[in-house]
Amino acid sequence: MSERHPIIAITGSSGAGTTSVTRTFENIFRREGVRSVIIEGDSFHRYNREEMKEKMADAARQGDQHFSHFGPDNNLFEELESLFRNYSKEACGRRRKYLHDEEEAAPYRQPPGTFTAWEDIPTDTDLLFYEGLHGGVVHKNINIAQYPDLLIGVVPVINLEWIQKLWRDKSMRGYSTEAVTDTILRRMPDYVNYICPQFSRTHVNFQRVPCVDTSNPFIAREIPSADESFVVIRFANPKGIDFQYLLAMIADSFMSRANTIVVPGGKMELAMQLIFTPFIWRMIERKKRALDRW
């Protein structure tokens, strides 16, 4: 953690909804005049799309049916930790982009599924913002979780997460139900060992819980809407959280535990705005004081 150069990290599985949370933070940054450097977790995968297909096929031929993007072998954990460490000390580091589709790839004149060249991050930022799979990972001598000043988990209940992934991969990427199901099964050991443990290290977790039947996610025709859901918000340390204010501002919310508030699914963005805007105010104020002392 760093007063002078703070880091916010959003961590969650593929299809969990971390991208939507990122848009909420971008709105806060824009409104509050906060200069952020955005880091995409996908850019720290070890292999590009074609290389990953080849590696996966090689693993399958050798009997490894659990080769996935979730585990340490296919990600640059050391490089990500180095970025977080260097930013927290000197507000410096290197990043690249992963080009997901034709639209993203066109300005770089590269094929989709490839990485841009590594480059230095901007030098005039207020904070670093990471969104991806591994913002809270601890593995052997790697401890990425120690650096974020605010670490947020986004983790729908598992059936809802699968429904969201199935819908996205089928409708936006053209995959079949069978192909997406194979991906879910292949990733399961790494999901259990490297994704789930992060949510015990987060400062705040957002877990969307549908109020409709999702018992068989593989036949769901649509994603349950926000109005068909509740969001469970758990604070690791509730000290300083004004729950009475949140309950007054968010209609139909309630406390389920001393550190947990439950809000209607359609009020998730409002809850984030109310919770995290003061966090960012305090973060930027601490930064200013620390730089004045420096």
Side-chain angles (χ1 to χ4, degrees):
M1 296 186 181
S2 170
E3 288 187 340
R4 290 190 298 131
H5 308 299
I7 296 172
I8 298 174
I10 311 295
T11 192
S13 176
S14 174
T18 56
T19 303
S20 299
V21 177
T22 296
R23 284 196 294 269
T24 300
F25 270 90
E26 288 175 338
N27 290 334
I28 296 175
F29 296 154
R30 183 165 48 251
R31 187 185 66 228
E32 302 300 328
V34 174
R35 298 166 300 177
S36 63
V37 54
I38 306 295
I39 303 298
E40 300 173 350
D42 288 354
S43 65
F44 284 83
H45 289 331
R46 188 176 299 276
Y47 305 113
N48 66 33
R49 188 173 295 163
E50 292 305 314
E51 290 171 340
M52 189 63 180
K53 288 179 181 178
E54 293 175 7
K55 295 290 184 181
M56 195 178 301
D58 288 343
R61 285 191 290 269
Q62 296 171 27
D64 180 1
Q65 302 301 322
H66 300 295
F67 191 85
S68 85
H69 275 127
F70 287 1
D73 293 339
N74 300 315
N75 289 280
L76 303 175
F77 284 176
E78 290 185 1
E79 286 81 352
L80 180 58
E81 184 187 45
S82 177
L83 170 62
F84 279 22
R85 181 176 60 251
N86 291 336
Y87 190 88
S88 68
K89 291 180 178 179
E90 302 292 342
C92 64
R94 292 174 66 77
R95 69 174 178 179
R96 62 180 178 178
K97 293 181 179 294
Y98 178 73
L99 307 174
H100 294 84
D101 52 36
E102 294 283 357
E103 183 177 357
E104 288 186 7
Y108 298 93
R109 298 182 180 180
Q110 292 181 209
T114 61
F115 301 105
T116 63
W118 290 99
E119 62 181 6
D120 292 333
I121 63 173
T123 58
D124 58 344
T125 57
D126 295 316
L127 57 82
L128 182 146
F129 182 89
Y130 167 92
E131 178 258 320
L133 296 170
H134 299 116
V137 155
V138 175
H139 173 66
K140 295 183 179 178
N141 63 334
I142 300 293
N143 186 347
I144 295 169
Q146 66 182 305
Y147 293 104
D149 300 81
L150 179 58
L151 179 58
I152 302 164
V154 181
V155 49
V157 293
I158 192 68
N159 279 19
L160 177 57
E161 185 173 309
W162 289 346
I163 289 172
Q164 291 180 168
K165 179 168 179 55
L166 282 156
W167 185 88
R168 184 193 66 182
D169 286 2
K170 289 167 62 179
S171 64
M172 300 177 64
R173 300 179 179 177
Y175 296 160
S176 66
T177 299
E178 292 74 19
V180 183
T181 303
D182 286 345
T183 298
I184 290 171
L185 292 173
R186 186 177 68 252
R187 291 175 169 179
M188 191 54 61
D190 285 339
Y191 181 89
V192 170
N193 291 313
Y194 298 102
I195 303 298
C196 287
Q198 296 182 77
F199 304 124
S200 298
R201 306 179 188 120
T202 49
H203 300 114
V204 188
N205 277 342
F206 285 76
Q207 184 171 46
R208 190 153 77 93
V209 181
C211 298
V212 295
D213 183 11
T214 61
S215 52
N216 185 351
F218 302 101
I219 63 169
R221 294 181 178 273
E222 58 187 14
I223 300 173
S225 70
D227 291 334
E228 296 173 323
S229 309
F230 282 96
V231 178
V232 179
I233 308 171
R234 189 272 299 171
F235 298 86
N237 180 6
K239 183 179 179 180
I241 303 299
D242 191 343
F243 287 109
Q244 291 305 313
Y245 171 73
L246 294 175
L247 291 169
M249 294 296 292
I250 306 173
D252 301 318
S253 60
F254 61 92
M255 300 285 295
S256 60
R257 289 188 175 178
N259 66 341
T260 305
I261 185 170
V262 182
V263 306
K267 300 295 179 61
M268 178 171 165
E269 181 173 353
L270 172 61
M272 288 186 169
Q273 294 274 354
L274 294 171
I275 292 166
F276 293 127
T277 299
F279 266 85
I280 293 170
W281 287 343
R282 292 192 293 269
M283 196 176 286
I284 297 302
E285 184 58 33
R286 285 197 304 268
K287 175 185 177 73
K288 290 178 180 177
R289 290 199 302 265
L291 290 175
D292 287 342
R293 292 195 304 269
W294 190 261

